């Protein structure tokens, strides 16, 4: 099971809503790197698409 903090969960929800990494970074006052790398490093997922799918299947989004 993927366990993310509230800010990380906000990132996933924005990705699922179709926002780009840059748009999310601007909206949440974080860096593009945080959006792309730090979230993936907390999961076993190979890419953002898999992470969003797994979060959806787990009822997180």
């Amino acid at each position: 099971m993927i366990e993310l903090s509230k800010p990380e969960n906000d990132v996933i929800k924005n990705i699922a809503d179709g926002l780009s990494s840059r748009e999310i970074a601007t909206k949440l006052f974080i860096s593009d790197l945080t959006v792309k790398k730090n979230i993936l490093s907390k999961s076993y997922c190979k890419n953002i698409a898999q992470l969003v799918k797994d979060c959806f299947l787990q009822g997180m989004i």
Side-chain angles (χ1 to χ4, degrees):
M1 177 160 214
I2 300 169
E3 294 186 29
L4 301 174
S5 67
K6 167 76 170 103
E8 292 165 340
N9 201 28
D10 290 342
V11 169
I12 296 299
K13 287 178 182 179
N14 281 286
I15 291 170
D17 286 340
L19 274 64
S20 70
S21 295
R22 180 170 282 155
E23 291 170 324
I24 296 167
T26 300
K27 181 178 178 180
L28 299 178
F29 305 104
I30 57 177
S31 73
D32 286 4
L33 183 62
T34 300
V35 174
K36 295 176 184 174
K37 301 267 182 181
N38 292 355
I39 303 292
L40 282 176
S41 70
K42 288 202 149 193
S43 72
Y44 57 88
C45 300
K46 296 177 185 173
N47 57 50
I48 294 291
Q50 182 183 11
L51 180 61
V52 170
K53 176 187 164 202
D54 288 354
C55 288
F56 176 77
L57 292 174
Q58 292 177 24
M60 297 170 71
I61 52 175

